Amino acid sequence: MAKVEIKEVQEVRGFSVVKRVPNRAALTGDLKPNVILVFHGKEGNDMVVEIFTPDPNGDKTLPSATVAATKFSGSAEKVDNAYATLLFWALKEGKSLGTPSREIYTKVDRSQDPPEVEVEVQSPIQ
């Protein structure tokens, strides 16, 4: 099972765009190294996702938080496996996870279809 750690993440300045998408596959074009996807929940049948690009001159700030975090490497279609890891960990540890969750992409290999990624998935601890 993948490792889960509790950590403090610092606030991050940057620029963001909010999208409403039907599924994870609709975000494939937004995946880039250092991008942060912030999942704000659902609106109707769509996911509300903020595509956040860190930049010290940005007009938006992601707040600091205490999070449970796990790393995932593999197909971009399988990133949800990291959420399962966090949920099982939370149940075992008696913790409650909150929202919004974040995915911080460190590597995106577009030579594969779907892309192969390295990502850290973070969920706030309530």
Side-chain angles (χ1 to χ4, degrees):
M1 182 175 226
K3 180 182 168 196
V4 174
E5 66 175 317
I6 295 175
K7 66 186 202 174
E8 298 291 328
V9 293
Q10 302 303 311
E11 75 175 21
V12 180
R13 289 195 63 77
F15 296 100
S16 70
V17 174
V18 176
K19 287 188 172 182
R20 286 165 181 73
V21 296
N23 54 45
R24 180 174 284 286
L27 296 166
T28 301
D30 296 300
L31 302 181
K32 298 176 183 86
N34 298 319
V35 77
I36 302 172
L37 298 183
V38 182
F39 290 84
H40 291 283
K42 292 194 77 131
E43 199 170 274
N45 291 326
D46 291 338
M47 297 187 301
V48 179
V49 183
E50 183 176 359
I51 294 89
F52 187 89
T53 304
D55 184 320
N57 299 312
D59 59 359
K60 167 86 184 202
T61 302
L62 289 181
S64 60
T66 302
V67 300
T70 190
K71 295 189 185 219
F72 172 83
S73 294
S75 170
E77 289 183 339
K78 307 257 185 200
V79 173
D80 285 344
N81 290 343
Y83 288 94
T85 297
L86 290 174
L87 287 171
F88 285 122
W89 172 86
L91 286 170
K92 181 178 169 228
E93 297 294 321
K95 305 280 187 193
S96 292
L97 300 177
T99 58
S101 61
R102 300 177 186 179
E103 296 175 6
I104 296 100
Y105 286 81
T106 53
K107 186 175 179 184
V108 178
D109 178 1
R110 293 192 178 281
S111 69
Q112 306 291 318
D113 186 24
E116 291 286 310
V117 298
E118 289 180 11
V119 58
E120 181 175 274
V121 176
Q122 302 174 343
S123 186
I125 297 175
Q126 294 182 316

